[in-house]
Amino acid sequence: MSSEDKPIEFVPAKEEDQISRKLLAWLNTFPDVPLSIDLIDYEFMDADAPGMSMSLVQSAYVVERFIHGPYTAEYQFKIIYRTKPSSPGGRLDADEMLDALGSWAAGQTPDIGEGLEIQELEQTTRSSLFARIKDGWEDHQIFFRMTYLVNQ
């Protein structure tokens, strides 16, 4: 059977939820979050106010399972920044702030829970405009991929 025929094995929901909570808490330690934003939220932003949100790109899934029980999994997420820039410079500021978050995150290994060990955390895209919304609001986004080992 080829790897293309292999069904995707998702990690348990409890594991994914725990990682989301831990990553969100860690992301909220980023020192350069704009002053207009109280916190990076989870999959929610007000429609007409500055905000940031972490969102899963897809469910975390098993990449490789080892005979003696442990497995490697991948967790893909993005950070969205909602802003209302008044100039092209404001748009660039939004992208630069998200890219700074990516640089800050690169190579770090935040605690994601007992028995879970980050193997790699990387920014997979540069920040870019994601959507324009009514009244001048825009969403900018940046993508990340985290590979971790489950050794429980």
Side-chain angles (χ1 to χ4, degrees):
M1 172 162 49
S2 77
S3 62
E4 292 175 4
D5 297 332
K6 183 179 174 185
I8 295 174
E9 180 184 357
F10 295 106
V11 303
K14 185 176 180 180
E15 176 181 310
E16 182 178 277
D17 293 346
Q18 172 186 313
I19 292 170
S20 295
R21 288 178 190 278
K22 296 271 190 174
L23 277 179
L24 192 57
W26 169 72
L27 286 165
N28 273 294
T29 67
F30 174 58
D32 296 324
V33 171
L35 295 175
S36 60
I37 296 173
D38 294 329
L39 66 107
I40 300 172
D41 207 339
Y42 183 73
E43 296 187 342
F44 174 80
M45 290 182 296
D46 288 325
D48 56 357
M52 290 182 76
S53 176
M54 179 186 110
S55 180
L56 283 168
V57 174
Q58 63 182 23
S59 292
Y61 59 93
V62 175
V63 175
E64 183 177 10
R65 189 170 282 285
F66 303 103
I67 294 173
H68 58 287
Y71 60 89
T72 304
E74 190 167 290
Y75 180 103
Q76 297 177 30
F77 65 101
K78 67 180 180 175
I79 306 296
I80 304 166
Y81 174 33
R82 180 161 294 157
T83 185
K84 190 174 185 178
S86 57
S87 69
R91 286 185 189 90
L92 289 168
D93 290 344
D95 287 335
E96 287 168 358
M97 188 275 300
L98 285 174
D99 284 331
L101 188 153
S103 294
W104 171 81
Q108 290 198 45
T109 54
D111 173 24
I112 57 170
E114 189 176 332
L116 307 176
E117 179 186 330
I118 293 177
Q119 303 294 296
E120 184 176 32
L121 175 61
E122 65 179 337
Q123 173 183 343
T124 58
T125 65
R126 298 205 26 103
S127 176
S128 63
L129 178 65
F130 168 57
R132 286 196 169 139
I133 309 165
K134 71 176 190 166
D135 298 329
W137 290 97
E138 296 180 355
D139 287 350
H140 294 251
Q141 68 182 1
I142 187 170
F143 286 80
F144 294 87
R145 180 181 62 196
M146 180 179 70
T147 305
Y148 64 97
L149 175 68
V150 178
N151 197 7
Q152 298 178 353

